[in-house]
Each structure stands twice: as structure tokens, then as C-alpha cells.
Amino acid sequence: MRTDRKSGVSGAVTWGLLAAWAANDLEEIATMAGWLRTARPKLKDRLPWVPDRVWERADLTQREVNTAIGLMGVLVAAAAADGARTGGRSAFFRTTLAGFGLHGVVHLAQSAAYGGYTPGVATSPTVVVPYSLWALRRLRAAGIPVGGARATAAGLAFLPVAVAGVHAAARVLARPRTPVA
């Protein structure tokens, strides 16, 4: 495995982010749209205070899911590339890595709260969390600062903004086109 001479961080650390993300998101592509349709009644019962318009927006077509995941893939690929370019020192890479690891924990918490399977939970304890912890250890071993309240806060802030942004863009991009007369 090739290691960056300056940082001691291999490409497996930086490009591993994209690979781990792909594994998690292939699970989500395969399950999200169908799961949302079948889980909606149980979710509405458990969360009666959520307005109907939120549930309506949560009805995602497979095309919207695919588009949102593809857009997130562009962000993750850019972060991995920036991490590779900087030997893991990029703030963008480290923030994305922290957000990715936290997102794995969120998947686990969602499934616990739901009381069953939720999309992305199968690969969270098997790929997302182990990769994230391993990558953070590799960065620390290379003398690259990670963690702390600031990085955690940035990851927590970045994650919902990125998710909301790609879903909003996907809703527009995946909208069926009407022929122009």
C-alpha cells in the first residue's frame, strides 16, 4: 500500500472514505425508497406531531434516492480526493470523515429508536464505524490532528446540511420532465 511520505497516511485512509461510503450507500440505494413506503405508517404512529407535509416530502422515488446518493457521492469523492492530495491533512477530508463516522452512529440510533431495520444500518457497524475509527487512528498515528469538540461540531453541522442539500437538489433534478410543446 502506497504511503504519502510527508504524512505517513496511505491512500487506503483517504480513498477508503469513498469505498466505505459506497458500501453504505449501495445498501441505502437497495432499501431506502421501499423502506420509506412500508415504514411510514409506523413512523406516523410513533411521531404524531410531525406535520403531514413532512411525510409527503419523505415519499422518495427510487430516482430521487439514486440522485441524492449520487450527489452525496460527488461530495464524498471530492473530500477523499482532497484528503489524498493533502496526505489526510485537508480540513474538508477530516470533517467529512468525522461526519461519515457520526452518520454511522446515527443509523444505529435510528434503528434502535425505530425498533427494527432502517436503511444503512447493516453496513454501519460492519463498515462505516470500523473504517472511520481505523482512519482516525491512522491520522493520529501520522501526527495529523483529529477529533475534539471543534471537529465533532463541524461534522455534526456538515452532515444534516449536506443531506438536506442533496435531497433538495435531487427532488428538483429527479422531477419527471414534461415535454415542451
Side-chain angles (χ1 to χ4, degrees):
M1 198 169 294
R2 196 167 152 251
T3 300
D4 181 279
R5 289 185 189 152
K6 280 185 178 178
S7 70
V9 173
S10 73
V13 172
T14 56
W15 290 110
L17 175 62
L18 183 58
W21 172 87
N24 181 250
D25 279 50
L26 285 172
E27 177 191 356
E28 291 179 353
I29 284 172
T31 61
M32 188 178 295
W35 181 87
L36 284 168
R37 279 190 300 278
T38 60
R40 185 175 171 176
K42 182 177 178 179
L43 290 169
K44 284 182 83 168
D45 285 347
R46 286 191 171 192
L47 306 167
W49 48 267
V50 174
D52 284 339
R53 70 180 182 279
V54 172
W55 295 118
E56 290 163 14
R57 292 194 63 84
D59 279 339
L60 302 176
T61 66
Q62 188 63 50
R63 185 175 177 172
E64 288 171 325
V65 169
N66 297 349
T67 302
I69 288 173
L71 292 170
M72 185 62 79
V74 171
L75 285 172
V76 173
D82 200 36
R85 182 185 63 78
T86 63
R89 295 181 187 285
S90 157
F92 178 39
F93 168 73
R94 291 180 291 134
T95 300
T96 304
L97 173 61
F100 180 67
L102 290 169
H103 129 274
V105 174
V106 168
H107 277 307
L108 296 169
Q110 286 173 331
S111 282
Y114 179 71
Y117 177 83
T118 58
V121 74
T123 51
S124 287
T126 58
V127 177
V128 176
V129 173
Y131 158 75
S132 299
L133 292 173
W134 172 80
L136 289 168
R137 282 193 304 270
R138 296 303 314 137
L139 291 173
R140 275 192 202 100
I144 298 170
V146 296
R150 186 181 226 171
T152 301
L156 284 170
F158 176 68
L159 179 63
V161 169
V163 169
V166 299
H167 278 286
R171 183 145 318 247
V172 171
L173 294 172
R175 186 179 302 148
R177 306 285 181 237
T178 53
V180 178

